[in-house]
């Protein structure tokens, strides 16, 4: 049983967490399936990409990440979805993190810290949440997962 949740916004990322949790619970309660019977991937791309970064990145770059993910709201120095994600990751959920968006985000952050895009990118890449992998592009990951039999939900 394979499911992939494609996210592009902050709200969509929150929805994917809710849907993924429901997927695990409903399969366990209604069908007696265990976490290991299910394959769940959340794609973090476009605006939702920073939610796949760990707390050290949010602590350091929270102002810039908040401005990117939820422009106009007060900045957060924490990953809004960190606690919920840790629960899902514990169940076996994987995160596919868009490399293109991560590089763009690093380029946005670098000038504020008098750093280079490559240095910020490498730092972010080293501090993804557990069970996270950088993929060349989030939209390509969605395509490849479907080619391998994953059902797709675009969470908005």
């Amino acid at each position: 049983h394979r499911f992939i949740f494609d996210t592009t916004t902050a709200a969509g990322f929150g929805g994917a967490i809710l849907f993924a949790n429901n997927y695990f619970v409903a399969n366990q309660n209604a069908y007696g399936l265990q976490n290991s019977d299910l394959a769940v991937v959340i794609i973090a791309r476009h605006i939702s990409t920073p939610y796949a970064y760990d707390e050290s990145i949010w602590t350091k770059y929270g102002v810039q990440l908040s401005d990117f993910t939820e422009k106009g709201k007060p900045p957060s120095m924490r990953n809004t979805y960190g606690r919920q994600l840790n629960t899902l990751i514990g169940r076996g959920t994987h995160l596919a993190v868009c490399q293109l968006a991560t590089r763009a985000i690093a380029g946005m952050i670098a000038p504020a810290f008098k750093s280079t895009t490559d240095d910020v990118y490498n730092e972010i890449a080293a501090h993804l949440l557990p069970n996270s992998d950088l993929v060349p592009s989030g939209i390509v990951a969605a395509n490849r997962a479907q080619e391998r039999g994953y059902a797709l939900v675009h969470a908005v």
Side-chain angles (χ1 to χ4, degrees), residues 21-103:
N21 187 62
N22 289 348
Y23 183 69
F24 279 107
V25 170
N27 273 291
Q28 183 177 17
N29 293 343
Y31 300 103
L33 297 177
Q34 301 303 308
N35 293 340
S36 60
D37 297 320
L38 307 170
V40 176
V41 177
I42 296 174
I43 300 173
R45 67 181 180 97
H46 201 53
I47 304 299
S48 68
T49 305
Y51 297 116
Y53 306 161
D54 75 13
E55 287 300 318
S56 69
I57 296 300
W58 278 87
T59 299
K60 185 171 182 180
Y61 303 123
V63 171
Q64 292 79 16
L65 295 176
S66 292
D67 188 50
F68 180 77
T69 58
E70 298 187 34
K71 194 174 275 310
K73 291 189 177 182
S76 174
M77 303 308 280
R78 299 193 56 116
N79 185 338
T80 305
Y81 299 114
R83 187 178 313 157
Q84 296 163 301
L85 276 172
N86 285 332
T87 299
L88 282 175
I89 289 167
R91 290 184 143 173
T93 298
H94 290 263
L95 297 172
V97 186
C98 182
Q99 188 176 41
L100 288 175
T102 297
R103 184 159 293 284

Side-chain angles (χ1 to χ4, degrees), residues 86-129:
N86 285 332
T87 299
L88 282 175
I89 289 167
R91 290 184 143 173
T93 298
H94 290 263
L95 297 172
V97 186
C98 182
Q99 188 176 41
L100 288 175
T102 297
R103 184 159 293 284
I105 292 164
M108 174 196 71
I109 291 171
F113 286 82
K114 295 183 172 66
S115 188
T116 68
T117 298
D118 284 344
D119 286 346
V120 175
Y121 172 83
N122 291 332
E123 181 181 8
I124 292 171
H127 292 278
L128 300 176
L129 290 171

